[in-house]
Amino acid sequence: REIIFRFHKSIQNSREKFFTPQLRFRNFVSQRPSLDFDLRFSDTIQSHDWEIFGRRITLNGQIDFHKDIFSGKNFPITFSKTIDIRSDKYGSAKVVWEINRLQFLIPLVLKYKISGSSIYLEEFVSILKSWDQQNPYLKGVNWYSNIEINIRLINWYWCWLLLQGDPLWEENEEYIGFRKKIWLPLIYKHCCFSYRNPSYYSSANNHLVAEYAGLFIASTLWKFPESEKWLRESRKGLEREIQRQHSENGINKEEAAEYIQFITDFFLLAFIAGRHCSIAFSTEFEKKLETICTYINNFLDCNNNFPKYGDEDDGRVIVPDGNIHANNFISILNTATVLFNRPEFKRQGSAWDVKSTLLTAHIKNAKEIWSGYDFHAISKSIFYAQEGHFIFRTQPVQGREIYAHFDAAQLGYLSIAAHGHADALSLLLHIDGYPFLVDPGTYTYHTHKIWRKYFVSTLAHNTITVNGYDQATLAGPTLWVNHYDVTVHNASTSVTSDLAEASHNGYKKLGVSHKRSINFDKKNNNFLITDVINARNKFNLRLQMPFHLDPAVIVTINDDGVYTLRRPETNASVELHCDPSLKWTLIKANDTEPLGWFSPSFMKKEKSSVILGESNFNHSSIPLKTFIKIII
């Protein structure tokens, strides 16, 4: 069926390449009463500068919307679906798309609404006019990816609501003409593209969710001839995908932790848009959205950090205050606290933000309701044995907490597992809300192939690599084949100790299996990691066992195989007692190879270090033990 689908898509693409569809836009849009937005946060809105993966751009009508600001290269303005985005020929499409999400428009509109200065409104109009001129329908890289189309639609939805009812915006002839002749036709083109280019079958991951969310949100507000059909089908799609792409316990199946906030926002924003126009989702949808928020609440540490497993690319749907570094998990929980009446979602160290203000504008006194609740902290270990996520923790006391995440999950979602990493049985460790043992991150997707291959590899995770192989085969930047299976053998938690044990078959082609157990002694603050490598035949096996460290960690070598780890933010320390069967080395990152590098966010990398054990074995069963003692 997918082959047939892809065949029809290729025919559609060929037809569109030579005969650009002539979209017949009818100037008809619904109006609804303006929401009561509480705009008392002028000091928190950033507008004139915007950061793209660490690079700042100045917002004005002169933005080159086809330029990769990192390489300086430009994508051609040719038929979008034939443009090469999977090499660095024209630069990074991901960088270009990030600018073209136009997420800086909501902060601009908020600046206008708060200040009353028409400068911001003129800037908003100028940017949209420039985008329209530079991006003819189906021409250029910004008409390539449907997820980008829908993120723009969602941002425009909020801009429209904020401007609705404003006297200058509604009565000025220039702005009336802009809406009728430029913005509404542009919105219509985006809706048509969204509907005609769905991500089905092996691509039906977060992209499909974004497509349904964008089309649903747009169709609640702008009423074109096709809008009722779009609304009906996108709503049905959201109802289906929230169940399909999440486990019973609300864990997203893409196995990419940072993506959880991104994907959750699509469902949350669609749910809110439905509330705006009295379109109710099912009880099952609402329950699953609440369950997703429960998992988010459970997997954050006491400092509101999350375990960074799988891909991360700084993806956000809307950024109303302009602060792309803000913790969106906390923003989601703040909104959910009020939306679902769940006081326990109000986390220690959280603060009400602009995004939550906008999303709860339909709820009377939402901020006051949130402010009336006490702060909460998760006080126990939480095991998700069915999904393979094990969260070990001690009860936080005055900011002191031991937190570990054991990853015994599957590789990722669907046949390509696009955003998973080969990280089966990896362990992450945070102390007092600060990372010590880490996942090195992501850094890039389609450019810098050597770095992409490293950051998703098994060696780049705190598990065991056999004979230099990954646990699965990377066949493309976001394409995995030969997936492994993970089996959970034991899982128990109590007041005094926790135990989780699992194995994977990622090395079955070598006739090798790997089983790991994590035993957490809460009374004495230590972990015992027991690894068993079993081979069908006695032959030469080279094992590598890394412990990747956060760049802030300071390492002291005590004895052979014993390392003390410290961070300046806490007086706690970690003693890592490594198995003497392996030869252990502290490796610091250098400029010639990726090992030891750390990526704090997309397109950023910095030097760190890794404690690496290596050795050759000729045994059919190889037991290894690692002891981790936390001194608080």
Side-chain angles (χ1 to χ4, degrees), residues 36-45 110 113-114 352 354 357-358 365-368:
D36 183 18
F37 289 111
D38 182 357
L39 305 178
R40 293 178 293 177
F41 35 68
S42 57
D43 292 340
T44 65
I45 306 298
L110 284 172
K113 292 294 292 182
I114 292 165
W352 190 257
V354 177
T357 296
L358 297 184
N365 300 322
K367 182 178 180 180
E368 287 73 16

Side-chain angles (χ1 to χ4, degrees), residues 40-71:
R40 293 178 293 177
F41 35 68
S42 57
D43 292 340
T44 65
I45 306 298
Q46 305 171 29
S47 63
H48 273 82
D49 282 329
W50 195 262
E51 188 175 310
I52 302 293
F53 305 137
R55 296 281 183 94
R56 300 203 70 81
I57 63 171
T58 299
L59 304 180
N60 54 50
Q62 304 303 314
I63 299 172
D64 185 342
F65 287 109
H66 300 273
K67 184 177 182 179
D68 170 7
I69 60 174
F70 282 80
S71 68

Side-chain angles (χ1 to χ4, degrees), residues 141 155 253 265-266 310 556 608:
V141 74
N155 278 270
K253 295 178 182 178
D265 256 355
F266 287 118
T556 302
S608 187

Side-chain angles (χ1 to χ4, degrees), residues 6 14 16 21 51 121 136 150 208 222 231 251 267 275 290 310 322 418 453 494 507 536 538 542 550 606:
R6 300 292 177 190
S14 297
E16 289 178 344
E51 188 175 310
L121 188 56
N150 288 278
L208 185 60
W222 299 295
L231 187 66
I251 301 179
F267 291 112
R275 287 276 184 95
E290 185 176 352
K453 182 173 175 55
S494 69
Y507 298 121
R536 281 199 304 264
K538 293 182 180 180
R542 180 162 186 79
D550 186 90
E606 58 188 81

